[in-house]
Amino acid sequence: MIRILDSTLREGEQTPGVYFSPDKKLYIAQMLDQIGVDIIEVGNPAVDNEIALAIQQIAHAGLKAKIGAHSLCRIDNVQKALDCGVNFLGIFFSVSQKRLENDYNICLNQAIEKIVEVISYAKLQQPDLLIRYTLEDTVRSPIENVIDAASAAVKAGANIISIADTTGYATPFHPYRSIYFHVQTLKAELGNLGLFPQIEVHCHNDKGLALANALDAYRAGADIIDVAIMGLGERAGVVDLAELLINLIDMGEEEKLWQLTYLSNLYNFVSENSHIPIPPHQPITGKNAFTHYAGVHVKAIAKDERLYQSLDPEILGVKSNLALGMQSGFAAIELAMKKIGKEELAKDKNLLAQILQEVKEIAKRGTSIDIEKELPYIVDRYYKNPTTNKE
Ligand code: HCA
Ligand code: CU
């Protein structure tokens, strides 16, 4: 069964300007837990004492999900994470040739020694700890380095190996740059060595392929997929939680694994508290994700919503809706009048035509027309003064 790791509170806070206070972090973690996320990655306690405090609070909040801290590949950092009382620890270190040579100035063997030393330390301190080792920038690292480092990490005590597409370099359409290739190769090579860690994937969205790469990993048999609410994260961010869940269900996972009806509130909370608006056309959670507008569309959905929807909004606890403007036709005016309780008046075709014309005029201002607030006035004006054209 696929498992979800949410990193809104770690990767998501790597969005410039985003910071959630400990109370808000706790609320977000509780909501994620209710949705059914399996692992919540909270942050690196070495960054600031307040982050350490938030990790402690969440680790002691009695949530079903595993609560994780993020740590550099350093013993002092790992100790800080363990002091927070977590049951999951993520350690990351790159074995890309460029990183080893141009940044760390060590060879692969020295890197592996360091990884093994730090993982062994964590395991010794807390034997029941779930330890993940992430090969930062996996997809741009030589596959031999990846296999050597991953196998050493598992032998030292890592339970999970994470393939990180740190720079959004992967693509499902290339034989060796795909996450599919990495998941399968790692599983096969480690399996040949008698090692069977869980395989996790962490996909960045630099080229807009994070979700496609994550689904490619799922197809390849990955065990854990990383996400963040609104896809928040460094640069272009990572896989969006809501989009991933919906696509996993589409690919055969059971809908009842997750409480999708909580997503909408959580997204609004995170949007408000990160000061980042949700784009209206954002799939699943955007305000227009289930809004129908153009005349032909509205006429069809008035008969059957599925004619212009492949996804049922009810599974998210939301309803489809309607927009009025330049693209509207008679059906939209009729439906909108029904919505504001003026169904009877909609039988008058002359009145409808006048209202439609007025709606189109107003639409030229370039902003949407509020059905609840504006339409009643438009209707009143033409109903009471049928001869009026425009004011
Ligand atoms: C980072 C890089 C990281 C790490 C992922 C992980 C990545 O620390 O910001 O530790 O699993 O994208 O490689 O997010
Ligand atoms: Cu990342």
Side-chain angles (χ1 to χ4, degrees):
M1 193 180 73
I2 191 70
R3 299 203 292 153
I4 308 296
L5 178 144
D6 185 279
S7 191
T8 308
L9 302 178
R10 194 281 293 173
E11 176 81 56
E13 274 204 352
Q14 291 179 224
T15 309
V18 172
Y19 180 73
F20 305 107
S21 65
D23 280 358
K24 288 179 179 158
K25 280 194 177 72
L26 179 61
Y27 177 75
I28 292 169
Q30 286 165 332
M31 291 295 292
L32 287 167
D33 192 49
Q34 288 189 24
I35 286 169
V37 160
D38 304 278
I39 306 163
I40 300 171
E41 187 175 62
V42 185
N44 182 339
V47 172
D48 190 83
N49 284 341
E50 196 169 271
I51 292 184
L53 177 76
I55 300 172
Q56 279 168 35
Q57 281 177 351
I58 296 171
H60 295 101
L63 303 183
K64 291 187 293 298
K66 294 264 177 210
I67 304 303
H70 202 227
S71 169
L72 298 174
C73 190
R74 278 175 32 184
I75 287 183
D76 57 346
N77 217 188
V78 164
Q79 190 54 55
K80 275 209 164 86
L82 298 184
D83 290 344
C84 294
V86 292
N87 49 16
F88 177 101
L89 176 70
I91 297 168
F92 65 103
F93 200 75
S94 178
V95 288
S96 91
Q97 216 52 45
K98 282 216 171 77
R99 197 70 188 267
L100 293 174
E101 285 163 19
N102 302 347
D103 184 15
Y104 304 153
N105 298 314
I106 54 175
C107 69
L108 177 65
N109 282 340
Q110 289 168 307
I112 293 179
E113 266 174 34
K114 198 173 152 71
I115 295 161
V116 166
E117 184 200 356
V118 174
I119 294 175
S120 310
Y121 175 83
K123 196 76 192 171
L124 192 67
Q125 300 302 307
Q126 199 176 315
D128 63 347
L129 182 69
L130 204 55
I131 302 176
R132 177 192 69 202
Y133 164 56
T134 300
L135 299 126
E136 201 187 5
D137 214 356
T138 319
V139 185
R140 293 193 306 169
S141 306
I143 194 75
E144 311 78 51
N145 290 16
V146 168
I147 294 160
D148 287 353
S151 55
V154 177
K155 285 180 196 152
N159 312 81
I160 303 166
I161 295 296
S162 184
I163 296 167
D165 184 22
T166 305
T167 65
Y169 177 71
T171 162
F173 310 107
H174 186 282
Y176 306 119
R177 265 165 64 190
S178 73
I179 302 284
Y180 189 94
F181 165 77
H182 282 83
V183 171
Q184 292 247 308
T185 307
L186 211 52
K187 281 205 163 196
E189 295 286 339
L190 294 179
N192 286 340
L193 300 169
L195 305 170
F196 302 95
Q198 294 182 52
I199 302 294
E200 178 171 331
V201 294
H202 179 89
C203 304
H204 272 267
N205 206 26
D206 297 68
K207 291 201 301 286
L209 288 176
L211 175 65
N213 285 326
L215 296 173
D216 206 25
Y218 174 71
R219 214 167 52 91
D223 304 288
I224 305 170
I225 300 178
D226 292 8
V227 295
I229 297 161
M230 293 166 65
L232 293 178
E234 286 270 346
R235 305 182 311 283
V238 295
V239 179
D240 173 69
L241 166 66
E243 288 183 39
L244 182 75
L245 297 186
I246 289 296
N247 278 282
L248 288 177
I249 293 166
D250 201 37
M251 288 172 85
E253 289 293 331
E254 281 189 59
E255 195 183 308
K256 66 170 197 284
L257 286 176
W258 302 293
Q259 297 302 316
L260 301 174
T261 53
Y262 295 146
L263 284 170
S264 164
N265 266 346
L266 180 57
Y267 269 64
N268 289 334
F269 183 85
V270 168
S271 170
E272 249 170 57
N273 290 287
S274 62
H275 314 290
I276 298 179
I278 301 171
H281 58 295
Q282 179 73 25
I284 324 294
T285 50
K287 140 176 167 300
N288 291 347
F290 300 101
T291 300
H292 302 280
Y293 176 31
V296 176
H297 292 229
V298 174
K299 193 160 178 238
I301 64 115
K303 294 172 190 137
D304 181 353
E305 286 193 355
R306 287 169 302 184
L307 292 169
Y308 278 105
Q309 270 172 199
S310 66
L311 176 63
D312 183 358
E314 299 234 327
I315 69 168
L316 296 150
V318 298
K319 288 203 179 334
S320 68
N321 56 44
L322 177 70
L324 284 187
M326 181 60 83
Q327 302 292 331
S328 296
F330 283 103
I333 306 293
E334 267 185 86
L335 275 181
M337 284 174 71
K338 199 169 163 185
K339 263 191 152 184
I340 59 167
K342 307 218 181 236
E343 205 173 347
E344 276 304 302
L345 298 184
K347 288 179 188 149
D348 178 346
K349 297 294 167 215
N350 245 345
L351 180 63
L352 272 190
Q354 284 183 315
I355 294 171
L356 178 59
Q357 199 47 48
E358 177 71 0
V359 160
K360 286 175 184 248
E361 280 308 314
I362 296 175
K364 290 178 187 166
R365 73 187 178 193
T367 55
S368 57
I369 295 170
D370 191 313
I371 295 179
E372 308 291 335
K373 291 195 185 124
E374 289 182 83
L375 187 60
Y377 290 102
I378 303 171
V379 174
D380 271 5
R381 194 179 320 150
Y382 285 95
Y383 177 59
K384 287 179 188 148
N385 310 297
T387 51
T388 309
N389 284 327
K390 263 187 276 160
E391 280 181 353

